Short mmCIF file of all heavy atoms in Angstrom, two decimals:
data_model
loop_
_atom_site.label_atom_id
_atom_site.label_comp_id
_atom_site.label_asym_id
_atom_site.label_seq_id
_atom_site.Cartn_x
_atom_site.Cartn_y
_atom_site.Cartn_z
N SER A 126 -3.44 -9.23 0.31
CA SER A 126 -4.07 -7.93 0.46
C SER A 126 -5.41 -7.87 -0.28
O SER A 126 -6.37 -7.25 0.19
CB SER A 126 -3.13 -6.83 -0.05
OG SER A 126 -1.94 -6.80 0.71
N VAL A 127 -5.46 -8.49 -1.44
CA VAL A 127 -6.72 -8.55 -2.20
C VAL A 127 -7.79 -9.29 -1.41
O VAL A 127 -8.94 -8.82 -1.28
CB VAL A 127 -6.50 -9.22 -3.57
CG1 VAL A 127 -7.85 -9.52 -4.25
CG2 VAL A 127 -5.64 -8.34 -4.47
N HIS A 128 -7.43 -10.44 -0.85
CA HIS A 128 -8.42 -11.23 -0.08
C HIS A 128 -8.96 -10.43 1.10
O HIS A 128 -10.18 -10.41 1.34
CB HIS A 128 -7.76 -12.51 0.44
CG HIS A 128 -7.33 -13.46 -0.62
ND1 HIS A 128 -6.32 -14.37 -0.45
CD2 HIS A 128 -7.75 -13.64 -1.91
CE1 HIS A 128 -6.16 -15.06 -1.55
NE2 HIS A 128 -7.01 -14.64 -2.46
N CYS A 129 -8.07 -9.79 1.83
CA CYS A 129 -8.51 -9.05 3.02
C CYS A 129 -9.34 -7.83 2.63
O CYS A 129 -10.38 -7.54 3.26
CB CYS A 129 -7.29 -8.60 3.84
SG CYS A 129 -6.37 -9.97 4.57
N THR A 130 -8.91 -7.11 1.59
CA THR A 130 -9.65 -5.94 1.16
C THR A 130 -11.01 -6.31 0.61
O THR A 130 -12.02 -5.66 0.90
CB THR A 130 -8.82 -5.16 0.10
OG1 THR A 130 -7.53 -4.82 0.65
CG2 THR A 130 -9.53 -3.91 -0.33
N HIS A 131 -11.07 -7.38 -0.17
CA HIS A 131 -12.34 -7.83 -0.72
C HIS A 131 -13.32 -8.22 0.38
O HIS A 131 -14.53 -7.99 0.27
CB HIS A 131 -12.08 -9.02 -1.66
CG HIS A 131 -13.27 -9.36 -2.52
ND1 HIS A 131 -14.19 -10.34 -2.19
CD2 HIS A 131 -13.69 -8.84 -3.72
CE1 HIS A 131 -15.10 -10.42 -3.13
NE2 HIS A 131 -14.83 -9.52 -4.07
N ALA A 132 -12.79 -8.77 1.46
CA ALA A 132 -13.65 -9.24 2.57
C ALA A 132 -14.28 -8.09 3.33
O ALA A 132 -15.33 -8.27 3.95
CB ALA A 132 -12.84 -10.13 3.51
N VAL A 133 -13.68 -6.89 3.32
CA VAL A 133 -14.25 -5.77 4.04
C VAL A 133 -14.88 -4.72 3.14
O VAL A 133 -15.58 -3.83 3.60
CB VAL A 133 -13.18 -5.07 4.93
CG1 VAL A 133 -12.58 -6.05 5.92
CG2 VAL A 133 -12.09 -4.41 4.09
N TRP A 134 -14.65 -4.82 1.84
CA TRP A 134 -14.97 -3.74 0.91
C TRP A 134 -16.44 -3.35 0.91
O TRP A 134 -16.80 -2.18 1.11
CB TRP A 134 -14.51 -4.11 -0.49
CG TRP A 134 -14.63 -2.98 -1.48
CD1 TRP A 134 -15.54 -2.83 -2.47
CD2 TRP A 134 -13.78 -1.82 -1.56
NE1 TRP A 134 -15.34 -1.68 -3.18
CE2 TRP A 134 -14.26 -1.03 -2.64
CE3 TRP A 134 -12.67 -1.39 -0.84
CZ2 TRP A 134 -13.66 0.19 -3.00
CZ3 TRP A 134 -12.08 -0.17 -1.21
CH2 TRP A 134 -12.57 0.58 -2.26
N ASN A 135 -17.33 -4.32 0.68
CA ASN A 135 -18.75 -3.98 0.56
C ASN A 135 -19.32 -3.45 1.86
O ASN A 135 -20.15 -2.51 1.87
CB ASN A 135 -19.54 -5.18 0.07
CG ASN A 135 -19.35 -5.44 -1.42
OD1 ASN A 135 -18.95 -4.53 -2.15
ND2 ASN A 135 -19.58 -6.66 -1.84
N ALA A 136 -18.89 -4.01 2.98
CA ALA A 136 -19.36 -3.52 4.29
C ALA A 136 -18.90 -2.08 4.53
O ALA A 136 -19.67 -1.26 5.05
CB ALA A 136 -18.87 -4.44 5.41
N MET A 137 -17.67 -1.77 4.15
CA MET A 137 -17.19 -0.39 4.31
C MET A 137 -17.98 0.57 3.41
O MET A 137 -18.31 1.68 3.82
CB MET A 137 -15.69 -0.31 3.98
CG MET A 137 -14.80 -0.89 5.07
SD MET A 137 -13.03 -0.64 4.70
CE MET A 137 -12.30 -1.17 6.25
N ARG A 138 -18.29 0.14 2.21
CA ARG A 138 -19.11 0.99 1.33
C ARG A 138 -20.50 1.21 1.93
O ARG A 138 -21.02 2.32 1.89
CB ARG A 138 -19.24 0.33 -0.06
CG ARG A 138 -17.98 0.38 -0.85
CD ARG A 138 -18.12 -0.05 -2.30
NE ARG A 138 -19.38 -0.62 -2.69
CZ ARG A 138 -19.97 -0.42 -3.87
NH1 ARG A 138 -19.39 0.35 -4.77
NH2 ARG A 138 -21.10 -1.01 -4.16
N GLU A 139 -21.09 0.16 2.46
CA GLU A 139 -22.44 0.27 3.04
C GLU A 139 -22.48 1.17 4.27
O GLU A 139 -23.45 1.88 4.50
CB GLU A 139 -22.98 -1.12 3.36
CG GLU A 139 -23.32 -1.95 2.13
CD GLU A 139 -23.55 -3.42 2.44
OE1 GLU A 139 -23.57 -3.77 3.64
OE2 GLU A 139 -23.68 -4.21 1.48
N GLN A 140 -21.40 1.16 5.06
CA GLN A 140 -21.38 2.01 6.26
C GLN A 140 -20.81 3.39 5.97
O GLN A 140 -20.72 4.23 6.85
CB GLN A 140 -20.57 1.34 7.37
CG GLN A 140 -19.06 1.24 7.11
CD GLN A 140 -18.36 0.26 8.05
OE1 GLN A 140 -18.98 -0.63 8.64
NE2 GLN A 140 -17.04 0.43 8.20
N ASN A 141 -20.45 3.62 4.68
CA ASN A 141 -19.90 4.92 4.25
C ASN A 141 -18.69 5.36 5.06
O ASN A 141 -18.50 6.54 5.37
CB ASN A 141 -20.99 6.01 4.31
CG ASN A 141 -22.01 5.85 3.19
OD1 ASN A 141 -21.64 5.85 2.02
ND2 ASN A 141 -23.26 5.67 3.56
N TYR A 142 -17.87 4.38 5.39
CA TYR A 142 -16.64 4.70 6.11
C TYR A 142 -15.69 3.51 6.02
O TYR A 142 -16.07 2.37 6.29
CB TYR A 142 -16.91 4.99 7.59
CG TYR A 142 -15.69 5.53 8.30
CD1 TYR A 142 -15.47 6.91 8.39
CD2 TYR A 142 -14.70 4.69 8.82
CE1 TYR A 142 -14.34 7.42 9.02
CE2 TYR A 142 -13.57 5.19 9.44
CZ TYR A 142 -13.39 6.55 9.53
OH TYR A 142 -12.27 7.05 10.13
N GLY A 143 -14.45 3.81 5.68
CA GLY A 143 -13.43 2.78 5.68
C GLY A 143 -12.06 3.38 5.45
O GLY A 143 -11.92 4.41 4.77
N ARG A 144 -11.07 2.76 6.06
CA ARG A 144 -9.69 3.18 5.87
C ARG A 144 -8.86 1.92 5.59
O ARG A 144 -8.82 1.01 6.43
CB ARG A 144 -9.13 3.91 7.11
CG ARG A 144 -9.93 5.16 7.51
CD ARG A 144 -9.69 6.28 6.50
NE ARG A 144 -10.36 7.53 6.90
CZ ARG A 144 -11.57 7.90 6.48
NH1 ARG A 144 -12.28 7.09 5.69
NH2 ARG A 144 -12.07 9.06 6.87
N ILE A 145 -8.22 1.87 4.43
CA ILE A 145 -7.43 0.69 4.05
C ILE A 145 -6.02 1.14 3.68
O ILE A 145 -5.84 2.11 2.95
CB ILE A 145 -8.08 -0.02 2.83
CG1 ILE A 145 -9.49 -0.53 3.21
CG2 ILE A 145 -7.20 -1.18 2.37
CD1 ILE A 145 -10.29 -1.07 2.04
N VAL A 146 -5.05 0.42 4.21
CA VAL A 146 -3.64 0.72 3.90
C VAL A 146 -2.99 -0.52 3.31
O VAL A 146 -3.08 -1.61 3.86
CB VAL A 146 -2.87 1.18 5.15
CG1 VAL A 146 -1.38 1.30 4.83
CG2 VAL A 146 -3.42 2.50 5.66
N MET A 147 -2.38 -0.33 2.14
CA MET A 147 -1.54 -1.36 1.52
C MET A 147 -0.08 -1.07 1.89
O MET A 147 0.34 0.09 1.90
CB MET A 147 -1.66 -1.32 -0.01
CG MET A 147 -3.07 -1.28 -0.55
SD MET A 147 -3.94 -2.82 -0.30
CE MET A 147 -5.53 -2.39 -1.08
N THR A 148 0.67 -2.11 2.20
CA THR A 148 2.09 -1.90 2.49
C THR A 148 2.90 -2.12 1.22
O THR A 148 3.10 -3.25 0.78
CB THR A 148 2.56 -2.87 3.59
OG1 THR A 148 1.73 -2.71 4.75
CG2 THR A 148 4.00 -2.57 3.97
N THR A 149 3.35 -1.01 0.65
CA THR A 149 4.20 -1.09 -0.54
C THR A 149 5.66 -0.99 -0.09
O THR A 149 5.98 -1.20 1.08
CB THR A 149 3.83 -0.01 -1.57
OG1 THR A 149 4.59 -0.21 -2.76
CG2 THR A 149 4.08 1.39 -1.04
N SER A 150 6.57 -0.70 -0.99
CA SER A 150 7.98 -0.69 -0.65
C SER A 150 8.77 0.08 -1.72
O SER A 150 8.38 0.10 -2.89
CB SER A 150 8.53 -2.11 -0.54
OG SER A 150 9.94 -2.12 -0.44
N SER A 151 9.88 0.66 -1.30
CA SER A 151 10.77 1.28 -2.28
C SER A 151 11.32 0.24 -3.26
O SER A 151 11.71 0.57 -4.37
CB SER A 151 11.94 1.97 -1.56
OG SER A 151 12.62 1.07 -0.73
N SER A 152 11.30 -1.04 -2.87
CA SER A 152 11.71 -2.10 -3.79
C SER A 152 10.79 -2.18 -4.98
O SER A 152 11.20 -2.53 -6.09
CB SER A 152 11.73 -3.45 -3.06
OG SER A 152 12.70 -3.45 -2.05
N GLY A 153 9.51 -1.90 -4.78
CA GLY A 153 8.56 -1.85 -5.87
C GLY A 153 8.62 -0.52 -6.61
O GLY A 153 8.59 -0.49 -7.85
N LEU A 154 8.69 0.57 -5.87
CA LEU A 154 8.69 1.89 -6.47
C LEU A 154 9.94 2.16 -7.30
O LEU A 154 9.88 2.81 -8.35
CB LEU A 154 8.55 2.95 -5.38
CG LEU A 154 7.24 2.94 -4.59
CD1 LEU A 154 7.37 3.80 -3.34
CD2 LEU A 154 6.09 3.43 -5.47
N TYR A 155 11.08 1.66 -6.82
CA TYR A 155 12.35 2.02 -7.45
C TYR A 155 13.24 0.83 -7.79
O TYR A 155 14.25 0.99 -8.47
CB TYR A 155 13.12 2.98 -6.53
CG TYR A 155 12.29 4.14 -6.08
CD1 TYR A 155 11.97 4.30 -4.74
CD2 TYR A 155 11.79 5.06 -6.99
CE1 TYR A 155 11.18 5.37 -4.31
CE2 TYR A 155 11.00 6.13 -6.59
CZ TYR A 155 10.69 6.28 -5.25
OH TYR A 155 9.91 7.29 -4.85
N GLY A 156 12.89 -0.36 -7.33
CA GLY A 156 13.67 -1.54 -7.64
C GLY A 156 14.73 -1.84 -6.61
O GLY A 156 15.27 -0.93 -5.97
N ASN A 157 15.05 -3.11 -6.44
CA ASN A 157 16.11 -3.56 -5.55
C ASN A 157 16.66 -4.87 -6.09
O ASN A 157 15.90 -5.78 -6.43
CB ASN A 157 15.61 -3.80 -4.12
CG ASN A 157 16.15 -2.77 -3.14
OD1 ASN A 157 17.03 -1.98 -3.46
ND2 ASN A 157 15.59 -2.77 -1.94
N PHE A 158 17.98 -4.97 -6.19
CA PHE A 158 18.59 -6.19 -6.71
C PHE A 158 18.16 -7.40 -5.87
O PHE A 158 18.15 -7.37 -4.65
CB PHE A 158 20.12 -6.07 -6.68
CG PHE A 158 20.84 -7.21 -7.37
CD1 PHE A 158 21.17 -7.11 -8.71
CD2 PHE A 158 21.15 -8.37 -6.67
CE1 PHE A 158 21.80 -8.17 -9.36
CE2 PHE A 158 21.79 -9.42 -7.31
CZ PHE A 158 22.12 -9.32 -8.65
N GLY A 159 17.77 -8.48 -6.57
CA GLY A 159 17.41 -9.71 -5.88
C GLY A 159 15.99 -9.77 -5.35
O GLY A 159 15.63 -10.70 -4.65
N GLN A 160 15.18 -8.76 -5.73
CA GLN A 160 13.81 -8.72 -5.21
C GLN A 160 12.78 -8.53 -6.33
O GLN A 160 11.83 -7.79 -6.18
CB GLN A 160 13.67 -7.61 -4.18
CG GLN A 160 14.45 -7.87 -2.89
CD GLN A 160 14.05 -6.94 -1.78
OE1 GLN A 160 13.91 -5.72 -1.95
NE2 GLN A 160 13.84 -7.49 -0.58
N ALA A 161 12.96 -9.25 -7.40
CA ALA A 161 12.00 -9.12 -8.53
C ALA A 161 10.60 -9.53 -8.08
O ALA A 161 9.61 -8.86 -8.46
CB ALA A 161 12.45 -10.01 -9.69
N ASN A 162 10.48 -10.61 -7.32
CA ASN A 162 9.16 -11.06 -6.87
C ASN A 162 8.54 -10.07 -5.90
O ASN A 162 7.40 -9.65 -6.03
CB ASN A 162 9.25 -12.45 -6.25
CG ASN A 162 10.39 -12.61 -5.23
OD1 ASN A 162 11.08 -11.65 -4.89
ND2 ASN A 162 10.56 -13.83 -4.75
N TYR A 163 9.34 -9.65 -4.92
CA TYR A 163 8.89 -8.70 -3.89
C TYR A 163 8.53 -7.35 -4.52
O TYR A 163 7.48 -6.76 -4.23
CB TYR A 163 9.99 -8.54 -2.86
CG TYR A 163 9.69 -7.68 -1.66
CD1 TYR A 163 8.84 -8.13 -0.64
CD2 TYR A 163 10.24 -6.43 -1.55
CE1 TYR A 163 8.58 -7.34 0.46
CE2 TYR A 163 9.99 -5.62 -0.45
CZ TYR A 163 9.16 -6.08 0.55
OH TYR A 163 8.91 -5.29 1.65
N GLY A 164 9.41 -6.85 -5.40
CA GLY A 164 9.17 -5.59 -6.05
C GLY A 164 7.92 -5.61 -6.92
O GLY A 164 7.15 -4.64 -6.95
N ALA A 165 7.72 -6.71 -7.64
CA ALA A 165 6.54 -6.81 -8.50
C ALA A 165 5.26 -6.79 -7.66
O ALA A 165 4.27 -6.11 -8.01
CB ALA A 165 6.60 -8.10 -9.31
N ALA A 166 5.27 -7.49 -6.55
CA ALA A 166 4.10 -7.53 -5.65
C ALA A 166 3.84 -6.16 -5.06
O ALA A 166 2.69 -5.70 -4.99
CB ALA A 166 4.31 -8.57 -4.56
N LYS A 167 4.90 -5.50 -4.62
CA LYS A 167 4.72 -4.20 -3.95
C LYS A 167 4.26 -3.12 -4.92
O LYS A 167 3.50 -2.21 -4.53
CB LYS A 167 6.04 -3.80 -3.29
CG LYS A 167 6.40 -4.66 -2.06
CD LYS A 167 5.27 -4.70 -1.04
CE LYS A 167 5.66 -5.32 0.26
NZ LYS A 167 4.54 -5.43 1.21
N MET A 168 4.71 -3.15 -6.18
CA MET A 168 4.24 -2.16 -7.13
C MET A 168 2.81 -2.48 -7.55
O MET A 168 2.02 -1.55 -7.82
CB MET A 168 5.15 -2.10 -8.34
CG MET A 168 4.98 -0.84 -9.16
SD MET A 168 5.30 0.65 -8.16
CE MET A 168 4.91 1.92 -9.34
N ALA A 169 2.46 -3.75 -7.59
CA ALA A 169 1.08 -4.12 -7.92
C ALA A 169 0.12 -3.56 -6.87
O ALA A 169 -1.00 -3.16 -7.20
CB ALA A 169 0.96 -5.64 -7.98
N LEU A 170 0.56 -3.50 -5.63
CA LEU A 170 -0.29 -2.95 -4.57
C LEU A 170 -0.54 -1.46 -4.77
O LEU A 170 -1.60 -0.93 -4.41
CB LEU A 170 0.35 -3.19 -3.19
CG LEU A 170 0.28 -4.64 -2.72
CD1 LEU A 170 1.17 -4.84 -1.50
CD2 LEU A 170 -1.16 -5.04 -2.41
N VAL A 171 0.42 -0.76 -5.37
CA VAL A 171 0.21 0.65 -5.69
C VAL A 171 -0.91 0.80 -6.73
O VAL A 171 -1.80 1.63 -6.60
CB VAL A 171 1.50 1.33 -6.19
CG1 VAL A 171 1.24 2.75 -6.66
CG2 VAL A 171 2.55 1.32 -5.09
N GLY A 172 -0.87 -0.03 -7.75
CA GLY A 172 -1.93 -0.02 -8.76
C GLY A 172 -3.29 -0.36 -8.16
O GLY A 172 -4.30 0.26 -8.51
N LEU A 173 -3.31 -1.33 -7.27
CA LEU A 173 -4.56 -1.69 -6.59
C LEU A 173 -5.09 -0.50 -5.79
O LEU A 173 -6.28 -0.18 -5.85
CB LEU A 173 -4.32 -2.90 -5.69
CG LEU A 173 -5.51 -3.40 -4.87
CD1 LEU A 173 -6.63 -3.89 -5.79
CD2 LEU A 173 -5.06 -4.52 -3.92
N MET A 174 -4.21 0.15 -5.05
CA MET A 174 -4.60 1.32 -4.27
C MET A 174 -5.14 2.44 -5.13
O MET A 174 -6.17 3.04 -4.82
CB MET A 174 -3.39 1.82 -3.46
CG MET A 174 -3.63 3.09 -2.65
SD MET A 174 -3.34 4.65 -3.56
CE MET A 174 -1.57 4.65 -3.76
N GLN A 175 -4.48 2.71 -6.25
CA GLN A 175 -4.90 3.82 -7.12
C GLN A 175 -6.35 3.63 -7.59
O GLN A 175 -7.14 4.59 -7.58
CB GLN A 175 -3.97 3.90 -8.35
CG GLN A 175 -2.53 4.20 -8.05
CD GLN A 175 -2.22 5.68 -7.90
OE1 GLN A 175 -3.10 6.48 -7.63
NE2 GLN A 175 -0.97 6.04 -8.09
N THR A 176 -6.69 2.42 -7.97
CA THR A 176 -8.04 2.17 -8.48
C THR A 176 -9.06 2.11 -7.36
O THR A 176 -10.16 2.69 -7.46
CB THR A 176 -8.07 0.89 -9.31
OG1 THR A 176 -7.26 1.05 -10.49
CG2 THR A 176 -9.49 0.51 -9.72
N LEU A 177 -8.75 1.42 -6.27
CA LEU A 177 -9.70 1.31 -5.17
C LEU A 177 -9.99 2.67 -4.53
O LEU A 177 -11.10 2.92 -4.07
CB LEU A 177 -9.20 0.32 -4.12
CG LEU A 177 -9.15 -1.15 -4.56
CD1 LEU A 177 -8.74 -2.04 -3.39
CD2 LEU A 177 -10.48 -1.60 -5.13
N ALA A 178 -8.99 3.54 -4.50
CA ALA A 178 -9.22 4.88 -3.96
C ALA A 178 -10.26 5.63 -4.78
O ALA A 178 -11.11 6.34 -4.24
CB ALA A 178 -7.92 5.68 -3.90
N LEU A 179 -10.21 5.46 -6.11
CA LEU A 179 -11.21 6.08 -6.97
C LEU A 179 -12.58 5.45 -6.75
O LEU A 179 -13.58 6.16 -6.65
CB LEU A 179 -10.79 5.92 -8.44
CG LEU A 179 -9.55 6.70 -8.88
CD1 LEU A 179 -9.14 6.29 -10.30
CD2 LEU A 179 -9.78 8.19 -8.80
N GLU A 180 -12.64 4.14 -6.67
CA GLU A 180 -13.91 3.44 -6.52
C GLU A 180 -14.54 3.65 -5.14
O GLU A 180 -15.76 3.61 -4.99
CB GLU A 180 -13.72 1.95 -6.81
CG GLU A 180 -13.36 1.64 -8.23
CD GLU A 180 -13.31 0.16 -8.53
OE1 GLU A 180 -13.64 -0.65 -7.65
OE2 GLU A 180 -12.91 -0.20 -9.66
N GLY A 181 -13.71 3.88 -4.14
CA GLY A 181 -14.23 4.02 -2.77
C GLY A 181 -14.53 5.44 -2.36
O GLY A 181 -15.16 5.67 -1.33
N GLU A 182 -14.10 6.42 -3.17
CA GLU A 182 -14.17 7.82 -2.74
C GLU A 182 -15.56 8.29 -2.35
O GLU A 182 -15.77 8.88 -1.28
CB GLU A 182 -13.61 8.73 -3.84
CG GLU A 182 -13.47 10.16 -3.43
CD GLU A 182 -12.73 11.00 -4.46
OE1 GLU A 182 -12.54 10.52 -5.60
OE2 GLU A 182 -12.34 12.15 -4.14
N LYS A 183 -16.55 8.00 -3.15
CA LYS A 183 -17.89 8.51 -2.86
C LYS A 183 -18.57 7.76 -1.72
O LYS A 183 -19.62 8.17 -1.23
CB LYS A 183 -18.76 8.48 -4.12
CG LYS A 183 -19.23 7.12 -4.57
CD LYS A 183 -20.18 7.27 -5.76
CE LYS A 183 -20.71 5.93 -6.24
NZ LYS A 183 -21.65 6.09 -7.37
N TYR A 184 -17.94 6.66 -1.28
CA TYR A 184 -18.50 5.89 -0.16
C TYR A 184 -17.72 6.13 1.14
O TYR A 184 -17.94 5.46 2.14
CB TYR A 184 -18.46 4.39 -0.48
CG TYR A 184 -19.26 4.02 -1.70
CD1 TYR A 184 -18.62 3.81 -2.93
CD2 TYR A 184 -20.64 3.90 -1.65
CE1 TYR A 184 -19.36 3.46 -4.07
CE2 TYR A 184 -21.38 3.56 -2.76
CZ TYR A 184 -20.73 3.36 -3.97
OH TYR A 184 -21.46 3.01 -5.10
#
Side-chain angles (χ1 to χ4, degrees):
S126 297
V127 169
H128 296 155
C129 294
T130 303
H131 193 264
V133 302
W134 188 255
N135 285 338
M137 285 185 171
R138 289 189 352 144
E139 289 167 6
Q140 69 195 21
N141 287 302
Y142 189 93
R144 301 289 184 265
I145 298 171
V146 173
M147 312 290 181
T148 304
T149 187
S150 170
S151 56
S152 295
L154 295 166
Y155 309 115
N157 250 351
F158 188 91
Q160 292 193 315
N162 48 5
Y163 184 75
K167 289 306 190 183
M168 198 59 184
L170 287 169
V171 174
L173 178 63
M174 176 274 290
Q175 298 275 22
T176 294
L177 292 184
L179 292 172
E180 293 185 5
E182 187 171 13
K183 72 175 182 179
Y184 300 100

